[in-house]
């Protein structure tokens, strides 16, 4: 049987690691899972309490508003004002989405169509590439790395693309590479958009997960950004509410309105008790962001120190809940998928192969900081033994 759209999707690389992991666990193996970026930190207690309270009220069991209830949109606008000094009109410049992935996918439906081009960094979180693809657009990938000026590479790709790109998708702090950009990068990007009539979409999923004094910049902080840009914001990481599926698209009012019109045909919004509880998260639990960030910082430091002791030199990221690690030189010829599977089979540690984020990621694996520091310590001990055993075997 022939299907539409899904034929354009490649095999899901991570599925092979997940299947091997499940097989190991069924066999009684204690696998330490640092692969899937699924936050394990509990959501704020007060937010959970509000969810339970709201869920007990029958009036909240009815259809809600696909754009998000007014007080939720106002809470997001207030959060942007507090955190970034960005003023948003909650009625025209904020819309609730059922998580950032749904938001980005449907956003692309109103921004691109067959014949259009989107520029997307690579390596990339898969939805950044395949949301435009599913909308029928052609994606031009721009390699993202630390050894060259990404903006220059992006500009070159823009100038040589035909037809001219309609959308540029960014996401900083970046998943999976953990790369960050400064305010000047976004200022140059907004200037490029104004001069070339191109729209900007920034996935700001890791807005609040940053370390060592680094403060991520919102694209909307740049003068004139709202004329050409929208940003995706989510509670998944900042408040450890990944399973709640609470996201937002904020910024340019015309784009927000277009998404509102589309969503009115597609859904009736997030379950209203979740929206009500999310208002509490945004209005009353800014301090919880520090709790979450401190936990990820401890885990990051534990992983980095353990890997370095094992002889695997990795730099500490300034943001996100991930560590992007170049595969040790002597194993690089294996490729990231084979290396990840070998690490799983022989060290009982699951990681994400870099090739799952695009061909340019194949020399790396991604660690997700989703186990506590004791489990991470055990993982690095297992990895150290694995590296020693592999070295001894090659020397024989």
């Amino acid at each position: 049987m022939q299907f539409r759209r899904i034929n354009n999707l490649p095999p899901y690389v991570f599925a092979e690691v997940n299947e091997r992991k499940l097989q190991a666990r069924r066999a009684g193996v204690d696998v330490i899972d640092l692969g899937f970026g699924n936050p394990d930190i509990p959501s704020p207690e007060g937010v959970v309490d509000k969810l339970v309270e709201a869920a007990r009220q029958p009036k909240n069991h009815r259809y809600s508003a696909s754009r998000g209830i007014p007080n939720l949109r106002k809470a997001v606008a207030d959060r942007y004002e507090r955190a970034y000094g960005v003023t948003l009109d909650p009625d025209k410049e904020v819309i609730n989405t059922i998580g950032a992935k749904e938001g980005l996918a449907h956003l692309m439906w109103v921004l691109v169509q067959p014949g259009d081009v989107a520029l997307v960094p690579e390596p990339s979180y898969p939805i950044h590439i395949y949301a435009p693809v599913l909308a029928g657009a052609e994606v031009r990938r721009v390699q993202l790395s630390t050894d060259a000026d990404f903006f220059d590479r992006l500009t070159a790709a823009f100038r040589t693309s035909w037809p001219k790109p309609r959308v540029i998708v960014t996401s900083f702090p970046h998943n999976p590479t953990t790369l960050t950009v400064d305010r000047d990068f976004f200022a140059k990007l907004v200037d490029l958009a104004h001069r070339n009539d191109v729209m900007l979409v920034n996935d700001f999923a890791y807005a609040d997960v940053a370390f060592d004094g680094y403060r991520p910049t919102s694209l909307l902080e740049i003068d004139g950004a709202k004329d050409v840009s929208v940003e995706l914001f989510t509670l998944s990481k900042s408040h450890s509410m990944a399973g709640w599926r609470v996201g937002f698209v904020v910024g340019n009012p015309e784009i927000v309105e277009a998404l509102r019109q589309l969503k009115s045909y597609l859904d009736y919004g997030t379950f209203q008790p979740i929206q009500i509880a999310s208002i509490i998260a945004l209005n009353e639990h800014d301090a919880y962001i520090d709790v979450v960030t401190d936990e990820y910082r401890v885990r990051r430091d534990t992983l980095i120190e353990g890997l370095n002791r094992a002889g695997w030199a990795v730099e500490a990221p300034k943001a996100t809940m991930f560590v992007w690690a170049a595969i040790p030189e002597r194993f690089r010829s294996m490729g990231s998928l084979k290396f990840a599977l070998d690490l799983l089979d022989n060290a009982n540690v699951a990681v994400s192969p870099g090739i799952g984020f695009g061909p340019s990621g194949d020399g790396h694996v991604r660690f997700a900081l989703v186990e506590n520091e004791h489990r991470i310590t055990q993982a690095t001990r297992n990895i150290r033994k694995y590296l020693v055993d592999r070295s001894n075997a090659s020397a024989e």
Side-chain angles (χ1 to χ4, degrees):
M1 184 179 294
Q2 292 294 316
F3 296 99
R4 305 297 187 258
R5 292 186 177 83
I6 61 170
N7 290 334
N8 293 328
L9 300 176
Y12 197 57
V13 171
F14 307 117
E16 189 167 350
V17 176
N18 290 338
E19 179 59 30
R20 190 78 65 91
K21 177 181 65 182
L22 289 173
Q23 290 175 1
R25 284 181 166 168
R26 289 184 188 124
V29 176
D30 179 22
V31 175
I32 303 172
D33 190 0
L34 304 178
F36 182 27
N38 193 6
D40 65 314
I41 302 170
S43 307
E45 185 176 352
V47 178
V48 176
D49 290 344
K50 190 65 177 181
L51 172 67
V52 173
E53 176 190 321
R56 293 188 183 280
Q57 299 182 26
K59 67 180 181 179
N60 290 326
H61 300 170
R62 307 177 71 183
Y63 292 131
S64 188
S66 63
R67 65 188 299 193
I69 58 179
N71 283 343
L72 176 58
R73 288 182 278 114
K74 182 179 185 302
V76 174
D78 290 346
R79 168 69 185 160
Y80 260 75
E81 187 72 57
R82 289 195 310 274
Y84 311 111
V86 172
T87 300
L88 295 169
D89 182 334
D91 292 325
K92 297 179 179 180
E93 297 176 336
V94 179
I95 187 169
N96 176 220
T97 60
I98 306 173
K101 288 180 73 172
E102 177 271 317
L104 181 61
H106 288 152
L107 180 63
M108 287 297 132
W109 285 18
V110 301
L111 294 183
V112 294
Q113 64 184 3
D116 290 330
V117 170
L119 290 186
V120 182
E122 192 211 289
S124 175
Y125 186 51
I127 193 63
H128 295 155
I129 289 175
Y130 292 104
V133 168
L134 288 169
E138 180 181 349
V139 171
R140 305 274 167 81
R141 307 184 190 206
V142 184
Q143 187 176 351
L144 180 63
S145 64
T146 57
D147 59 1
D149 189 310
F150 174 66
F151 185 79
D152 289 346
R153 192 180 283 151
L154 183 69
T155 303
F158 187 90
R159 289 174 177 165
T160 57
S161 291
W162 183 259
K164 182 181 74 173
R166 181 172 169 81
V167 173
I168 298 174
V169 178
T170 58
S171 180
F172 295 105
H174 189 255
N175 174 19
T177 69
T178 75
L179 288 177
T180 58
V181 296
D182 57 19
R183 188 183 184 93
D184 183 59
F185 172 88
F186 279 135
K188 291 189 293 184
L189 190 61
V190 169
D191 180 62
L192 174 71
H194 274 280
R195 287 187 288 106
N196 294 278
D197 190 28
V198 62
M199 291 170 285
L200 307 177
V201 175
N202 185 51
D203 185 353
F204 204 26
Y206 298 93
D208 298 306
V209 185
F211 317 108
D212 307 331
Y214 173 70
R215 176 189 174 277
T217 298
S218 165
L219 173 59
L220 299 181
E221 291 182 52
I222 307 303
D223 290 342
K226 276 200 289 185
D227 297 334
V228 293
S229 312
V230 288
E231 190 161 75
L232 290 115
F233 181 75
T234 172
L235 300 184
S236 293
K237 313 305 185 299
S238 60
H239 292 77
S240 204
M241 294 170 61
W244 299 55
R245 309 315 300 136
V246 181
F248 306 91
V249 173
V250 301
N252 183 273
E254 293 178 303
I255 297 176
V256 168
E257 170 58 18
L259 182 59
R260 184 201 67 77
Q261 291 182 43
L262 177 68
K263 281 175 61 63
S264 70
Y265 282 89
L266 298 176
D267 68 71
Y268 288 106
T270 302
F271 184 43
Q272 191 153 291
I274 291 177
Q275 295 189 54
I276 292 169
S278 297
I279 296 169
I280 301 301
L282 287 160
N283 287 344
E284 300 179 15
H285 288 273
D286 280 0
Y288 198 75
I289 296 170
D290 294 333
V291 173
V292 170
T293 301
D294 285 347
E295 179 63 29
Y296 284 133
R297 178 185 52 78
V298 169
R299 295 179 182 189
R300 177 203 65 168
D301 293 346
T302 301
L303 178 63
I304 295 295
E305 291 166 8
L307 290 176
N308 286 337
R309 282 196 302 269
W312 188 348
V314 179
E315 291 187 12
K318 292 192 292 185
T320 79
M321 51 181 282
F322 303 110
V323 169
W324 183 242
I327 298 171
E329 182 65 37
R330 63 185 183 274
F331 299 99
R332 207 161 295 170
S333 62
M334 296 171 66
S336 61
L337 178 57
K338 185 175 179 182
F339 176 74
L341 292 172
D342 201 47
L343 201 63
L344 177 59
D345 290 342
N346 296 286
N348 301 332
V349 177
V351 297
S352 294
I355 197 169
F357 304 100
S360 63
D362 199 25
H364 293 72
V365 293
R366 191 197 70 179
F367 292 86
L369 303 173
V370 293
E371 295 265 16
N372 64 46
E373 61 180 302
H374 302 293
R375 295 279 287 170
I376 290 174
T377 297
Q378 184 59 53
T380 60
R381 287 175 181 156
N382 292 2
I383 290 170
R384 182 177 183 178
K385 183 178 184 301
Y386 164 84
L387 295 176
V388 169
D389 289 347
R390 280 288 179 267
S391 293
N392 290 340
S394 62
E396 292 176 355

